């Protein structure tokens, strides 16, 4: 099984940015624990602050991987293009968020990804990714 974890803008700052909301662990540290725990799964990771690079990665793996776990960050609430990219591929996508976006600002309650995603997981910290991963098993 091949799964891609795809992170959008500012998620490269995990461990440094607003630790009260996002925690003090870097994503790379967390990803390494996932790889160890789920060693039978071919896990891949890609992060970009650039919308077009995220779309290109969705296109690249969207017909050959078994799943995409996507935290598009703020692009969740603004990017029709990422939503369309997900709609255009065969690989199922789980939208994830570290924080509970519904307890935050009103603009974060809108997702252009959710209508094209298999499901949405939010508010469980970094464990949101593991819950998404388990949904593919």
């Amino acid at each position: 099984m091949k799964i891609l974890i795809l992170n959008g803008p500012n998620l490269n700052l995990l461990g440094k940015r607003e630790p009260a909301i996002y925690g003090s662990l870097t994503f790379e540290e967390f990803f390494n624990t996932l790889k160890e725990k789920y060693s039978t799964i071919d896990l891949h990771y890609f992060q970009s602050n650039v919308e077009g690079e995220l779309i290109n990665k969705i296109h690249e793996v969207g017909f050959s991987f078994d799943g995409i776990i996507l935290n598009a960050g703020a692009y969740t609430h603004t990017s029709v293009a990422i939503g369309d990219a997900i709609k255009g591929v065969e690989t199922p996508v789980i939208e994830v968020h570290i924080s509970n976006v519904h307890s935050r600002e009103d603009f974060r309650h809108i997702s252009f990804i959710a209508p094209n995603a298999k499901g949405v997981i939010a508010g469980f910290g970094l464990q949101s990714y593991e819950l998404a991963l388990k949904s593919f098993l």
Side-chain angles (χ1 to χ4, degrees):
M1 178 171 280
K2 289 174 75 171
I3 304 288
L4 171 68
I5 297 177
L6 183 58
N7 274 343
N10 300 313
L11 290 163
N12 57 306
L13 297 177
L14 286 175
K16 300 174 191 168
R17 173 187 174 216
E18 300 177 85
I21 295 174
Y22 300 109
S24 58
L25 199 61
T26 69
F27 194 81
E28 289 76 12
E29 291 168 335
F30 176 72
F31 182 68
N32 286 334
T33 64
L34 279 182
K35 284 175 61 173
E36 288 175 21
K37 188 172 183 179
Y38 297 93
S39 59
T40 61
I41 298 172
D42 189 8
L43 281 175
H44 297 256
Y45 173 58
F46 182 80
Q47 187 278 328
S48 179
N49 295 317
V50 179
E51 183 179 26
E53 291 179 1
L54 297 171
I55 292 167
N56 287 341
K57 187 56 83 169
I58 291 167
H59 291 175
E60 178 187 322
V61 306
F63 296 93
S64 59
F65 276 48
D66 298 298
I68 298 171
I69 298 168
L70 172 61
N71 184 343
Y75 287 139
T76 301
H77 321 292
T78 63
S79 181
V80 173
I82 292 175
D84 285 348
I86 293 166
K87 190 175 183 178
V89 299
E90 294 174 356
T91 300
V93 174
I94 303 292
E95 175 185 338
V96 301
H97 299 283
I98 296 167
S99 67
N100 179 356
V101 293
H102 300 288
S103 69
R104 298 181 66 191
E105 303 92 341
D106 287 345
F107 76 88
R108 294 187 194 276
H109 302 176
I110 298 167
S111 171
F112 289 100
I113 292 166
N116 302 305
K118 177 181 175 184
V120 178
I121 300 170
F124 294 96
L126 291 174
Q127 292 308 307
S128 294
Y129 293 92
E130 186 170 1
L131 292 169
L133 180 59
K134 286 181 177 183
S135 77
F136 288 116
L137 303 180

